[in-house]
């Protein structure tokens, strides 16, 4: 079993600590966050050999993953609270050795970071724009939905006119990595998640089976809404249906509506 998340605020080591605190012994090698996916992408493209740096709009998870592959970075939490000089003649100097900008979810995003990122992308030759994900909303609390990383990526897109390379779900990068490194067969993988536009799309777009759990952001009403165009192979009330004997039967979204456990 592998855990795949678009949340880039933690590294694999960070998620390992979280699992440990819950009493779950999950090896770090079985955790795939979008922060790790960003680092894996840089490894695949041999970014380190360029001798360039990365500018991070994001939190510590991306920083830790780049440290693991010895790719130098600037920005991230270090730029929280900074403000550029916007008085007469004011300008923000940027590092011309930045060869990539990674944009991940950032609870401390500010105008300084947006300006620095756009300067790197617009003015540094061949500077790559990388997004951990394009999630429109996220769930920081159980009280309401909050603006997701798509809003931060959108700000950079708006001032650069560039489309990012997306490394998180539903991009194929993480499943390509898993299949290549571990020799897994796509037809034998089932993606389980609670979001249609990331988890289930990750499955359907990449040749996997998919199962939607209704215990998160997607209701049964939304799943079967005429406006929904993303269809999982199966759905269940919650992940507990995998483990509880005699639990309520989950369903298939095929036209036959056959039951499955």
């Amino acid at each position: 079993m592998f855990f795949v998340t678009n949340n880039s605020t933690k590294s694999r080591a960070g998620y390992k600590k979280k699992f440990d605190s819950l009493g779950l012994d999950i090896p770090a090698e079985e955790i795939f966050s979008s922060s790790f996916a960003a680092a894996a992408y840089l490894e695949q493209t041999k970014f380190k050999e360029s001798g360039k740096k990365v500018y991070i709009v994001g939190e510590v998870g991306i920083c830790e993953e780049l440290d693991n592959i010895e790719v130098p970075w600037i920005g991230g939490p270090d730029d929280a609270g900074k403000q550029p000089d916007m008085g007469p003649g004011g300008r923000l100097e940027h590092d011309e050795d930045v060869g990539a900008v990674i944009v991940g979810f950032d609870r401390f995003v500010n105008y300084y970071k947006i300006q620095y990122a756009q300067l790197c992308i617009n003015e540094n030759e061949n500077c790559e724009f990388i997004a951990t994900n394009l999630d429109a909303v996220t769930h920081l609390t159980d009280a309401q939905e909050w603006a997701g990383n798509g809003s931060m990526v959108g700000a950079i897109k708006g001032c650069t006119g560039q489309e990012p390379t997306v490394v998180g779900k539903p991009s194929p990068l993480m499943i390509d990595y898993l299949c290549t490194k571990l020799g897994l067969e796509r037809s034998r993988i089932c993606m389980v998640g609670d979001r249609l536009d990331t988890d289930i799309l990750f499955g359907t777009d990449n040749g996997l089976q998919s199962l939607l759990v209704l215990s998160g952001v997607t209701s049964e009403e939304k799943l079967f809404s005429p406006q929904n165009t993303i269809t999982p192979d199966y759905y269940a009330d919650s992940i507990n249906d995998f483990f509880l004997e005699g639990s309520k039967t989950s369903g298939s979204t095929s036209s036959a509506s056959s039951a499955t456990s």
Side-chain angles (χ1 to χ4, degrees):
M1 183 181 296
F2 297 89
F3 297 87
V4 183
T5 175
N6 268 356
N7 189 335
S8 64
T9 60
K10 292 183 178 66
S11 62
R12 286 177 299 170
Y15 279 108
K16 168 65 175 168
K17 290 179 181 178
K18 182 174 182 179
F19 279 122
D20 288 346
S21 71
L22 297 172
L24 299 172
D25 184 17
I26 306 297
E29 294 75 18
E30 295 180 6
I31 303 167
F32 289 82
S33 62
S34 60
S35 53
F36 170 73
Y41 174 76
L42 292 181
E43 277 198 307
Q44 289 176 354
T45 57
K46 302 186 185 305
F47 179 84
K48 185 178 177 180
E49 296 178 8
S50 72
K52 299 287 188 177
K53 305 172 186 174
V54 173
Y55 182 73
I56 297 173
V57 178
E59 300 190 21
V60 68
I62 301 171
C63 307
E64 291 178 354
E65 292 292 354
L66 295 193
D67 286 341
N68 288 339
I69 61 171
E70 300 180 334
V71 167
W73 57 269
I74 58 175
D78 293 342
D79 285 352
K82 288 185 177 181
Q83 293 184 343
D85 177 9
M86 293 180 282
R91 58 183 287 117
L92 178 60
E93 300 295 339
H94 75 285
D95 192 328
E96 295 181 358
D97 285 333
V98 169
V101 172
I102 297 178
V103 181
F105 184 70
D106 190 338
R107 287 166 288 190
F108 308 98
V109 68
N110 55 36
Y111 190 66
Y112 180 97
K113 295 181 181 182
I114 294 171
Q115 172 66 356
Y116 203 105
Q118 76 86 7
L119 287 171
C120 292
I121 294 170
N122 283 336
E123 298 188 9
N124 291 1
E125 186 176 1
N126 298 321
C127 182
E128 188 162 8
F129 177 17
I130 301 166
T132 60
N133 66 84
L134 300 178
D135 293 3
V137 295
T138 189
H139 293 81
L140 297 179
T141 71
D142 58 3
Q144 61 185 182
E145 291 185 330
W146 297 75
N149 193 48
S151 63
M152 293 144 207
V153 175
I156 309 303
K157 285 174 59 176
C159 55
T160 63
Q162 302 295 316
E163 290 291 332
T165 297
V166 181
V167 297
K169 297 177 293 185
S171 162
L173 187 141
M174 283 196 276
I175 193 62
D176 289 346
Y177 183 93
L178 275 168
C179 291
T180 300
K181 289 285 186 180
L182 303 174
L184 302 178
E185 296 180 29
R186 290 174 188 252
S187 61
R188 296 178 60 82
I189 299 173
C190 182
M191 178 65 201
V192 180
D194 69 338
R195 296 183 68 121
L196 289 165
D197 60 345
T198 55
D199 301 322
I200 303 308
L201 196 60
F202 181 66
T204 58
D205 280 1
N206 293 296
L208 317 178
Q209 296 185 67
S210 60
L211 187 149
L212 176 75
V213 288
L214 301 175
S215 53
V217 301
T218 306
S219 65
E220 190 168 10
E221 180 181 8
K222 182 176 180 180
L223 170 62
F224 289 105
S225 166
Q227 286 72 44
N228 175 41
T229 59
I230 304 169
T231 305
D233 295 298
Y234 308 100
Y235 68 97
D237 285 341
S238 77
I239 197 70
N240 290 332
D241 288 357
F242 284 75
F243 308 105
L244 298 179
E245 185 176 353
S247 64
K248 181 180 176 181
T249 305
S250 55
S252 165
T253 50
S254 68
S255 58
S257 298
S258 57
T260 183
S261 57

